Amino acid sequence: ATGNTAVSTEQKAVGNSSLYTPASSFLMITNSNYAFGTGDFTIDFWMYYKSGYSGASSAQIGSSIGIAIQSDSNWFGNNSSSLAVVTKSPGFVSNKWAHYALVRQSGTVYWFINGNLKTTVSANSNIISNKFAINARYASGAYAGGAAYYDEFRISNVARWTSDFTPSGTINMPTNLTATAGDSQVTLSWTTVTGATGYSVKRSTTQGGPYITIANNVTTNSYVDASVQNGVTYYYVVAALNEYGESANSNEASATPIAPVQTGQALLRVTMIDSSEREYRLTTTEIDSFVNWYNSHKSTDTTSYAINDSY
């Protein structure tokens, strides 16, 4: 272990602790035989990325091959005598736990983040190494990465995944999202996700997004968006949250808030026996009801009539 690399209880994906590698620090395991040859293998782990890397490639496997998960197509080079994994791009996740997997099957290498396939490349080189480094690559000396936590680091001599999958510990996305329009508001509801500690509500005025988060850590499976305008169509998705991070987005639901249609209204003015006046703004239906009652009671009894003036 270099620098202040150590077991830490500050962050953990599984159990009570994880490996913490500060910036420019790494863990190197020597005197070991990693003889993948040209066969299949999987390297997968959880990582909580904190800060930037000092130019290290994303994943590098060698004695005869280096694999750099980058945006370009130059993945390979004979510049490594060890088997090393650091993480950089594409699509690495900052300040939350994410699952990463590097898989080779039948000469094809697959790179996954949170179970989503990011890219592939052909690679059938013979891989034999006597070192293993976490958070560094080794090429005529160690090149350390940035600050990160690692957990559940696993090396397998089989190809575990070659298409999208759900890593153990991740969380499913919400389903059955519905949006119900109201007057200057939209009410959302969705099916509860097992293991969710909260939900993130996202909104857009464009179908399919991009979405902005309007509420985070919602603790129920419903939400009322009261920051909308009548007559505008809004599109919503919801993501579930837990200690591992955020799920994929739910189905999209849309609604157009609108003011309720009012029935005809009029002003009812009643002159009392003491010549005082009462005024009520009512619907025409309510006024008709009062007039009909009055015409049948005005000279026969002292029965009262209740007017519900809620306007």
Side-chain angles (χ1 to χ4, degrees), residues 164-198:
D164 289 357
F165 64 96
T166 301
S168 176
T170 54
I171 189 166
N172 294 326
M173 66 182 183
T175 57
N176 302 318
L177 174 65
T178 61
T180 303
D183 183 8
S184 299
Q185 68 179 32
V186 174
T187 301
L188 304 172
S189 63
W190 56 90
T191 301
T192 300
V193 176
T194 301
T197 58

Side-chain angles (χ1 to χ4, degrees), residues 108-173:
T108 299
V109 175
Y110 303 81
W111 176 245
F112 297 90
I113 299 179
N114 282 333
N116 299 313
L117 180 61
K118 295 298 182 180
T119 190
T120 63
V121 69
S122 298
N124 55 8
S125 299
N126 183 34
I127 300 173
I128 299 175
S129 176
N130 63 357
K131 300 183 183 72
F132 191 94
I134 297 177
N135 206 55
R137 64 185 177 95
Y138 195 88
S140 300
Y143 295 83
Y149 299 89
Y150 293 87
D151 209 349
E152 292 295 278
F153 207 103
R154 176 173 59 177
I155 304 173
S156 311
N157 62 354
V158 294
R160 292 184 176 272
W161 309 285
T162 57
S163 60
D164 289 357
F165 64 96
T166 301
S168 176
T170 54
I171 189 166
N172 294 326
M173 66 182 183

